[in-house]
Amino acid sequence: IERVHLLGIRKFILPMFEESEMNGSNWQEFTKVLRNISSVVEKYNILICLETVLDGTKLIEVLESLACVNIKCVFDTGNRITCGQDIYTDIILLGDRIQHVHIKDKDEDNNNVLLGTGKVNFKKVFESLACIGYKGPYTFETHRGKNPIRTVRYNRTLTQFFHNEAFDG
């Protein structure tokens, strides 16, 4: 943590998947550890962002139970859409608890696909983010396509269009 602080890192993304998956039935097992981590990183002004697939209501319950001002969440569009959640309503519910957004699209088989070709409606994602006044960072976690440079240009253009439509009207 001290070294992370020396590097100027102010946000720590904590993915809660696979062996460390946090779900609706086991989340209480993580509370003591998360509170301990929170108290250590708080000294260095570091924010912890939990990346889970808990629905918005359950994630709010978890965050409120933790009662740590430096624990918020990551919102991953692709991972959440594959769980059958109403991700657009979850964005509104979570509000300022969202401190980082992963931009990803997934198909019916849970594969990462080119943005706009899967199940995520990016127009609605950005409208929901605009509704909560989200000003935080975005990270692409996308399919690379046949030409990664061309794909990243496409991703940037697509997301910038929907972002501008939603935030600038």
Side-chain angles (χ1 to χ4, degrees):
I1 298 300
E2 290 175 19
R3 300 219 188 276
V4 166
H5 173 71
L6 290 173
L7 291 171
I9 295 171
R10 299 288 174 252
K11 187 180 297 178
F12 181 72
I13 309 283
L14 189 57
M16 307 296 289
F17 303 115
E18 297 172 5
E19 280 77 37
S20 50
E21 179 178 347
M22 179 187 288
N23 58 49
S25 60
N26 74 355
W27 66 269
Q28 292 172 323
E29 297 171 22
F30 293 94
T31 56
K32 183 178 179 184
V33 170
L34 289 171
R35 284 187 187 121
N36 287 340
I37 294 170
S38 170
S39 67
V40 171
V41 301
E42 185 176 41
K43 299 171 194 166
Y44 299 98
N45 199 28
I46 295 174
L47 180 68
I48 299 168
C49 290
L50 303 179
E51 183 177 6
T52 76
V53 290
L54 293 170
D55 67 54
T57 303
K58 180 54 85 175
L59 186 50
I60 289 170
E61 180 183 345
V62 169
L63 293 171
E64 288 179 353
S65 170
L66 290 169
C68 299
V69 296
N70 66 333
I71 298 182
K72 302 291 183 177
C73 70
V74 173
F75 196 91
D76 186 306
T77 59
N79 290 347
R80 288 175 166 278
I81 200 82
T82 60
C83 296
Q85 299 170 8
D86 180 347
I87 66 172
Y88 320 105
T89 300
D90 277 356
I91 290 171
I92 305 297
L93 276 172
L94 290 165
D96 66 357
R97 294 172 184 93
I98 299 172
Q99 293 295 307
H100 197 91
V101 174
H102 287 169
I103 300 294
K104 183 188 312 179
D105 206 351
K106 297 252 187 168
D107 66 13
E108 294 294 331
D109 297 321
N110 199 27
N111 297 308
N112 282 3
V113 294
L114 292 172
L115 296 185
T117 66
K119 297 171 22 176
V120 177
N121 180 331
F122 287 99
K123 179 180 185 293
K124 288 175 71 173
V125 164
F126 285 101
E127 287 171 349
S128 300
L129 290 167
C131 190
I132 65 167
Y134 181 75
K135 292 182 179 16
Y138 300 90
T139 300
F140 288 122
E141 289 191 334
T142 59
H143 187 280
R144 294 182 183 182
K146 293 179 182 176
N147 179 324
I149 301 298
R150 185 175 55 220
T151 302
V152 77
R153 287 181 183 139
Y154 164 78
N155 290 342
R156 185 170 185 261
T157 300
L158 179 113
T159 55
Q160 202 164 35
F161 173 81
F162 287 123
H163 181 278
N164 291 345
E165 285 290 302
F167 283 82
D168 300 337

